[in-house]
Amino acid sequence: MSEKRLTLYELNSLVREVIECEMPNEYWVEAELSECRESKGHCYMELIEKDEKNATPIAKASARCWASKWMLIRPYFERTTGQQLHAGMKVLLKVYAQFHEAYGFSWIVTDIDPTYTLGDMARKRQEIIRQLKAEGVFDLQKELQLPLFCQRIAVISSETAAGYGDFCNQLSNNPYGFKFETQLFPAIMQGEEVEQSIIAALEQIYSLTSSFDVVVIIRGGGGAADLSGFDTLALAENVANFPLPIITGIGHERDESILDLISHTRVKTPTAAAAFLIDHLKTVMDSLNDAQEQIVRFAQQKLACYKSQFATIAELLPRLFSNVKVRQEARLDDLNSRLTHHAQQKILNSQLSIINLENRLPILLDRRLLTEKHRLQLIEEKAKSLDPALLLSRGYSMTMKDGKIVRDPQTLQHGDEIETRLEKGTIKSIVK
């Protein structure tokens, strides 16, 4: 072979020289992080760009930020955005091209614009909020009533978080001696697993809904960054549709997360959440004490009023009784007079009726006797017409067995003795 051969190192050196000569400048590039990790103070990133229509990757590249730059870029970015760099985040990077003979091509990051990420985060937040409102669930938590005696509390937090201990201590040592029951449902409160971890805890609480009055989601002891897990649609939908009021205290000082916006009540810290619950119960206690005082005061006023009325009645009672007695005696006299007159009139009328009956009685008796005599004559004539002897005189006969008239020959049996009565005598026969 006549062509000059190159070693791989020589070829890669040639590529490096070309890139350094042809691309000496720095460039601002928009990209999405598909991976981000730290190692020995350096930050290693995998950049990706997706097709807007179908989210198919159309470009990929590796990027690195050396420790000397990363130690300056990272604090400023996290302080401005309130989040750490993580997969899925869109960033605006200032980079220059570098090709190394042993490690290949990479973009070297010299700066990151946090305002670009803030804009993308705000756009995503607004899109999630718009979708929640379109679903009609954005204000569902706000419509729930916080129970008056809110003492059974389901807590979602990291078991080792200092904020959880502060929350429980403040509830236990409240100055009013209120008793609270808390049950921890452990969850990851920082990083990429926040969403699924909190949702899993909510599902556990949902199966025990009747055992709790309220749910508290608290996060304490961690940094202010990496709160992206609280700005997701799935978590917001679960919280919005939860049947118990949810109080959040995740220490997000910069502004409210979507979880804060969708929850029933948002406070800044776990201790503030405990103070809120204590104040709520104190308000209920004060209301009950006020109601008790009002009831006692109302009862005392009523008793005083009734005592005054009874005293007045006691003074009027003898006079009223005297007046009533006079009226009743007069009424009784009138009734007695009317009753006597009515009785006398009744007796007089009865006497007149008796005299009238005495005068009419002989006539009525004669008329009744004549009527009854005529009726007896008719009965006698009818009885004569029904006399059996009359029938016998006409040639009829009667057959009897054991003193009873035989009407059906089927009732007789062989050997029975029967008696036949005629006008002039009686015949006895044996049935054959």
Side-chain angles (χ1 to χ4, degrees):
M1 296 179 63
S2 59
E3 295 181 3
K4 182 181 179 181
R5 290 178 293 179
L6 299 174
T7 64
L8 179 59
Y9 180 81
E10 291 174 335
L11 181 61
N12 284 353
S13 296
L14 181 60
V15 173
R16 178 175 60 80
E17 292 175 1
V18 171
I19 290 176
E20 290 178 353
C21 292
E22 297 298 328
M23 299 182 66
N25 300 323
E26 292 183 328
Y27 306 92
W28 284 103
V29 59
E30 299 176 352
E32 179 180 327
L33 295 177
S34 64
E35 184 181 339
C36 183
R37 59 187 176 84
E38 288 188 40
S39 178
K40 298 180 181 180
H42 309 299
C43 181
Y44 297 88
M45 311 173 199
E46 292 296 327
L47 309 181
I48 191 172
E49 181 179 352
K50 298 177 181 178
D51 190 311
E52 294 182 357
K53 296 180 180 179
N54 53 25
T56 302
I58 58 175
K60 292 183 179 180
S62 297
R64 301 172 186 176
C65 186
W66 305 123
S68 58
K69 287 287 187 180
W70 182 240
M71 64 183 300
L72 299 175
I73 293 174
R74 175 182 174 179
Y76 176 67
F77 181 87
E78 292 180 353
R79 187 170 57 253
T80 304
T81 63
Q83 296 198 34
Q84 295 176 345
L85 288 173
H86 61 267
M89 178 180 284
K90 287 191 175 182
V91 290
L92 180 61
L93 309 172
K94 191 174 186 180
V95 299
Y96 66 86
Q98 184 183 76
F99 189 87
H100 191 276
E101 290 84 347
Y103 303 110
F105 180 84
S106 179
W107 293 106
I108 304 302
V109 178
T110 60
D111 198 3
I112 303 176
D113 186 355
T115 58
Y116 174 86
T117 303
L118 280 174
D120 183 67
M121 289 166 52
R123 181 188 60 77
K124 288 181 179 179
R125 280 165 52 88
Q126 290 304 316
E127 177 60 24
I128 292 174
I129 292 172
R130 185 200 63 76
Q131 187 167 345
L132 291 171
K133 289 183 177 180
E135 293 174 2
V137 301
F138 188 80
D139 293 318
L140 286 183
Q141 272 284 314
K142 301 296 189 297
E143 296 173 2
L144 296 177
Q145 292 290 331
L146 201 64
L148 290 178
F149 301 98
C150 199
Q151 295 171 280
R152 302 175 302 165
I153 306 163
V155 183
I156 298 178
S157 180
S158 172
E159 191 170 5
T160 58
Y164 171 62
D166 295 340
F167 175 80
C168 293
N169 289 335
Q170 185 155 347
L171 287 182
S172 300
N173 301 318
N174 70 85
Y176 311 107
F178 298 144
K179 301 298 182 182
F180 293 91
E181 299 176 9
T182 61
Q183 182 174 341
L184 176 65
F185 293 84
I188 297 172
M189 304 304 289
Q190 188 165 326
E192 297 180 3
E193 299 179 34
V194 168
E195 177 189 82
Q196 292 304 319
S197 183
I198 294 179
I199 290 175
L202 287 172
E203 290 175 351
Q204 293 181 49
I205 298 170
Y206 183 80
S207 63
L208 304 170
T209 301
S210 60
S211 301
F212 300 104
D213 302 315
V214 69
V215 178
V216 175
I217 301 177
I218 53 178
R219 172 185 180 271
D226 198 15
L227 293 173
S228 59
F230 300 98
D231 283 336
T232 68
L233 178 62
L235 179 57
E237 288 176 334
N238 274 270
V239 169
N241 289 285
F242 204 74
L244 294 177
I246 293 180
I247 300 171
T248 58
I250 57 176
H252 202 174
E253 297 289 346
R254 183 175 55 83
D255 60 0
E256 291 180 315
S257 67
I258 291 178
L259 181 62
D260 292 323
L261 294 173
I262 209 73
S263 64
H264 180 278
T265 302
R266 180 254 182 175
V267 295
K268 289 184 178 181
T269 62
T271 53
F276 173 81
L277 292 170
I278 294 169
D279 290 344
H280 172 73
L281 204 55
K282 176 64 166 55
T283 300
V284 173
M285 184 182 71
D286 290 343
S287 298
L288 290 176
N289 290 336
D290 291 343
Q292 182 180 1
E293 291 178 1
Q294 290 179 7
I295 292 172
V296 171
R297 187 164 55 252
F298 178 79
Q300 291 174 343
Q301 291 175 352
K302 279 295 182 182
L303 286 173
C305 180
Y306 288 146
K307 286 181 180 179
S308 176
Q309 291 177 354
F310 288 152
T312 303
I313 291 172
E315 294 177 0
L316 294 175
L317 192 59
R319 185 164 61 250
L320 292 173
F321 179 77
S322 177
N323 294 336
V324 170
K325 180 181 178 183
V326 171
R327 287 198 299 269
Q328 292 299 324
E329 287 177 348
R331 181 169 176 272
L332 288 174
D333 291 341
D334 180 62
L335 287 174
N336 184 50
S337 176
R338 291 168 60 188
L339 182 60
T340 302
H341 175 74
H342 181 73
Q344 291 175 350
Q345 188 65 37
K346 194 70 174 176
I347 292 172
L348 180 60
N349 292 338
S350 298
Q351 289 176 344
L352 292 176
S353 297
I354 291 171
I355 293 172
N356 187 30
L357 287 174
E358 288 178 347
N359 295 332
R360 295 177 58 195
L361 188 59
I363 299 173
L364 293 174
L365 287 175
D366 291 341
R367 186 180 300 169
R368 183 61 181 268
L369 288 173
L370 182 62
T371 300
E372 292 298 321
K373 183 177 181 181
H374 179 68
R375 191 170 69 84
L376 287 173
Q377 289 175 349
L378 291 176
I379 292 172
E380 183 179 358
E381 292 296 330
K382 187 174 182 180
K384 288 180 179 180
S385 64
L386 297 176
D387 189 356
L390 182 61
L391 293 174
L392 295 176
S393 67
R394 294 177 181 172
Y396 294 97
S397 66
M398 292 187 299
T399 300
M400 306 179 69
K401 180 181 180 297
D402 299 329
K404 296 180 181 180
I405 296 176
V406 177
R407 301 179 182 276
D408 186 356
Q410 299 296 329
T411 61
L412 299 177
Q413 296 181 2
H414 180 76
D416 286 345
E417 182 179 305
I418 59 176
E419 183 181 280
T420 302
R421 291 186 182 180
L422 305 173
E423 179 185 7
K424 302 263 185 210
T426 302
I427 302 172
K428 292 185 178 181
S429 309
I430 300 296
V431 177
K432 295 184 179 181

